[in-house]
Amino acid sequence: MRLFPAALLALSVACRPAAPNPPAPSPGAMAYDLVIAGGRVVDGTGSAWFHGDVGIRGDRIAAVVPSGRLDHVPAAARIDARGLVVAPGFIDIQSHSRDAFLSGDGRVLSKITQGITTEILGEGTTNAPQNRLTGGSGAHDFTGPRGFGRWLETMAARGVSPNVGSFVGGTTVRMYAKGMAEGPATAVELDTMRAVVRNAMRDGAFGVATALIYPPGSYASTAELTELARAMAPSGGVYITHMRSEADAWLEAIDEALRIGRDGGVPVEIYHLKAGGRRNWDKTAAALAKIDSARAAGQDVQANMYAYVAGGTGLSACLPPWASADGMLMRNLSDPAARGRMLEEMDRVQTEWENLCSLATPEGVLVLGLQREPHRRWIGMRLGAIAAARGASWQETVLDLLLAEGQRIETIYFMMSEENVRTKMRQPWMKFGTDAGGADPERPLGLVHPRAYGNYPRLLGRYVRDEGVLTLEEAVRKSSAAVATRLSIPDRGVLRPGMYADVVVFDPAAIGDRATFEAPHQLSVGVRHVFVNGIAVLRDGVHTGATPGRIVRGPGWHPTP
């Protein structure tokens, strides 16, 4: 009998051994360490919610049953969840908390209070692997073929509240072989890049993550990226990308991502899918149709997004890529000839590179990350207003500030359409991520994008409860199980016996974001309890100080011999 793929899948599921039942407690012992009773259980699969009890034993979910079934079962602790939602913890597919995990506050309060229990790092740049061309790694040694694994282990050993995993940064892979140089990779450099990718996959990377608008990642060709995809394909890697364009060449950038995945033999995931700039908003229907068409033809392509109309990155994203080549940005900013060339290119509408200041317009550029005292009065002002106060053009203002500050200057760019945000949320292949690092309102390090504090509560409050853009069940699935499935994380993302006990309990009537662009350091409200590997990290809305997070790894992981 010939079996077609769907039949083969059904047969494999039918023949798969059932997950073992959690071990029974010894006589006199508590049946559960925790029972979360009477809540509205949204299990992460997309199935309709039901009133139920969730029993946790150790670091695992031991029971998910109809409400009342665990009323008389011995438990060390109980939570009355009546009127609340009990869901799998959210998996942030685009986190930037690596500095906090490596040397800062591993509690990442702004993330935990959103219900995030796992953070996935890696967009463009990772702390490992390192060599002299990548700039080293400070106090830590992440060199050598197992440097990526040591980085993951170092973060977990420091103590982190959520679980943590990562892609390997495509920019880091290129820098390892070629530094900040422009131009195509040589055969020897490509061999080095392939080896870096294969080693990272063995250490547990989920795939390769590119950021193709930022130098030197932007210097990588389609052919080079395809070779990286081929190197990770045997290990089950995913090619995830901040594409070469999210604006004037957006549709062409999607074509490039699809080609890399198709020729490299790997799934494609698009970071923060969006149409940047008013003149590109009407391309959204064509972009979605392009993805749907590829999927209908059998190519595995999906995307993720955050719940805001503005993105955040450096003010340096308004400069042509060549200005940063070979680490010469500051020297080029000081050179009259190079400066003149930059000003001319910044003033011209083109598609060769992404000028975020032009796309957002100076009135849509909110400048945050100014550090020098003479500039601090402009924090939280629009670029157009800063330029007017200085009596200079916005282009000159950008160059002057970057040179004087000596850093990229964190900036918010208002470029997206609210209607498009809603449309993208409804796509069945869409997932959610913050594109932000964790923060603490009591120790604010300058202004940040409010998504660092409010992405998931904003989704569940504004777009689910208030506007009905998507159902509660779909929002939870796209924040948990959909990410776990995408990354081949088999034991998280769903409330089911045998899965790790990453659980969030929130009030659906109260959940919401409070962070704004002008005053971002405000915790969201409505998330009552968060458990990571069965340990409470948030209790009654207050962080417990616990750091039970563990490493999550991709399917190509091979433990160090």
Side-chain angles (χ1 to χ4, degrees):
M1 177 179 65
R2 183 182 178 189
L3 292 178
F4 292 94
L8 285 169
L9 177 62
L11 181 61
S12 68
V13 171
C15 296
R16 189 179 302 155
N21 292 322
S26 59
M30 293 293 180
Y32 301 103
D33 296 308
L34 173 68
V35 168
I36 304 171
R40 189 188 304 179
V41 175
V42 180
D43 67 7
T45 66
S47 298
W49 67 266
F50 63 94
H51 288 123
D53 299 343
V54 176
I56 295 173
R57 187 180 304 130
D59 60 3
R60 302 275 181 161
I61 295 171
V64 180
V65 296
S67 182
R69 290 283 302 276
L70 301 183
D71 280 356
H72 304 294
V73 177
R78 290 181 177 272
I79 291 175
D80 183 351
R82 287 175 295 180
L84 305 178
V85 169
V86 184
F90 306 139
I91 304 175
D92 184 355
I93 196 171
Q94 191 181 11
S95 168
H96 295 291
S97 295
R98 58 195 179 97
D99 289 342
F101 293 151
L102 191 60
S103 58
D105 184 358
R107 299 178 307 148
V108 287
L109 189 62
S110 72
K111 295 296 196 75
I112 292 298
T113 51
Q114 293 188 56
I116 295 168
T117 57
T118 299
E119 298 202 49
I120 307 299
L121 312 173
E123 184 199 0
T125 306
T126 42
N127 293 70
Q130 295 287 354
N131 65 3
R132 62 177 183 81
L133 293 175
T134 65
S137 52
H140 303 283
D141 178 14
F142 301 140
T143 59
R146 305 314 294 256
F148 189 87
R150 283 200 303 278
W151 172 52
L152 296 177
E153 291 158 4
T154 299
M155 289 188 290
R158 280 196 73 250
V160 293
S161 290
N163 304 304
V164 58
S166 186
F167 290 85
V168 62
T171 298
T172 301
V173 173
R174 180 178 171 89
M175 289 182 69
Y176 194 98
K178 202 171 178 67
M180 289 290 293
E182 290 185 276
T186 66
V188 171
E189 289 166 344
L190 273 177
D191 279 344
T192 298
M193 293 181 195
R194 294 186 193 99
V196 167
V197 170
R198 286 192 292 266
N199 287 334
M201 296 303 294
R202 281 194 286 267
D203 278 350
F206 291 104
V208 174
T210 60
L212 299 181
I213 71 167
Y214 306 113
S218 58
Y219 305 153
S221 68
T222 304
E224 178 182 313
L225 297 171
T226 300
E227 288 304 309
L228 302 189
R230 288 172 176 153
M232 67 173 162
S235 300
V238 174
Y239 175 68
I240 188 168
T241 180
H242 178 155
M243 296 185 300
R244 211 173 294 275
S245 173
E246 297 177 323
D248 297 328
W250 187 33
L251 300 180
E252 293 83 353
I254 294 175
D255 287 337
E256 181 191 36
L258 293 174
R259 179 180 172 185
I260 292 167
R262 189 168 54 246
D263 293 350
V266 295
V268 174
E269 180 78 17
I270 299 173
Y271 277 132
H272 43 59
L273 184 72
K274 60 178 179 280
R278 183 179 294 273
R279 64 179 180 257
N280 296 301
W281 289 355
D282 62 358
K283 295 178 180 177
T284 296
L288 301 183
K290 191 178 287 288
I291 293 172
D292 283 336
S293 178
R295 290 182 57 79
Q299 184 169 5
D300 185 355
V301 54
Q302 301 179 31
N304 54 76
M305 64 179 291
Y306 45 76
Y308 295 86
V309 296
T313 188
L315 190 62
S316 54
C318 301
L319 304 185
W322 63 260
S324 298
D326 298 314
M328 301 286 284
L329 177 59
M330 292 302 149
R331 183 176 297 184
N332 285 332
L333 287 168
S334 301
D335 178 70
R339 179 185 173 96
R341 181 183 169 192
M342 282 186 247
L343 289 171
E344 188 274 328
E345 293 188 22
M346 291 167 69
D347 195 41
R348 175 163 34 94
V349 175
Q350 44 69 46
T351 58
E352 288 80 19
W353 58 280
E354 208 99 293
N355 185 340
L356 299 192
C357 287
S358 175
L359 288 164
T361 75
E363 289 66 41
V365 179
L366 181 68
V367 182
L368 303 180
L370 298 169
Q371 298 175 1
R372 293 191 64 228
E373 189 55 43
H375 304 149
R376 293 185 64 81
R377 65 185 184 277
W378 295 324
I379 292 175
M381 287 177 59
R382 303 296 175 118
L383 177 60
I386 297 173
R390 298 180 70 249
S393 71
W394 70 261
Q395 294 93 335
E396 292 171 321
T397 297
V398 168
L399 300 188
D400 291 344
L401 288 177
L402 288 169
L403 179 60
E405 288 278 328
Q407 47 103 7
R408 72 179 212 150
I409 308 177
E410 290 299 324
T411 301
I412 302 294
Y413 297 91
F414 290 86
M415 297 191 301
M416 284 84 79
S417 152
E418 185 65 52
E419 179 183 354
N420 284 344
V421 167
R422 296 187 181 96
T423 298
K424 291 181 299 176
M425 284 182 175
R426 297 188 181 101
Q427 305 310 307
W429 36 259
M430 186 61 70
K431 293 168 291 300
F432 296 102
T434 65
D435 194 9
D440 184 344
E442 294 184 1
R443 303 177 184 86
L445 299 175
L447 298 181
V448 298
H449 196 298
R451 63 195 178 196
Y453 285 86
N455 190 63
Y456 293 95
R458 180 180 180 85
L459 168 68
L460 294 166
R462 176 176 180 175
Y463 291 106
V464 172
R465 180 191 61 231
D466 299 341
E467 298 184 7
V469 174
L470 67 173
T471 66
L472 174 64
E473 291 87 348
E474 267 295 276
V476 169
R477 182 186 69 82
K478 292 175 177 181
S479 303
S480 56
V483 182
T485 300
R486 188 56 163 163
L487 302 183
S488 300
I489 304 173
D491 43 18
R492 301 184 191 273
V494 176
L495 297 183
R496 181 182 297 146
M499 305 288 274
Y500 281 105
D502 297 341
V503 183
V504 57
V505 181
F506 63 89
D507 184 345
I511 195 165
D513 60 313
R514 293 294 179 267
T516 66
F517 289 101
E518 293 74 20
H521 292 289
Q522 303 183 72
L523 295 176
S524 292
V525 296
V527 175
R528 297 281 189 85
H529 311 282
V530 176
F531 299 87
V532 176
N533 299 311
I535 303 297
V537 294
L538 195 76
R539 185 180 293 119
D540 294 320
V542 178
H543 203 296
T544 66
T547 54
R550 300 176 184 173
I551 302 170
V552 289
R553 297 180 174 91
W557 176 53
H558 291 285
T560 303

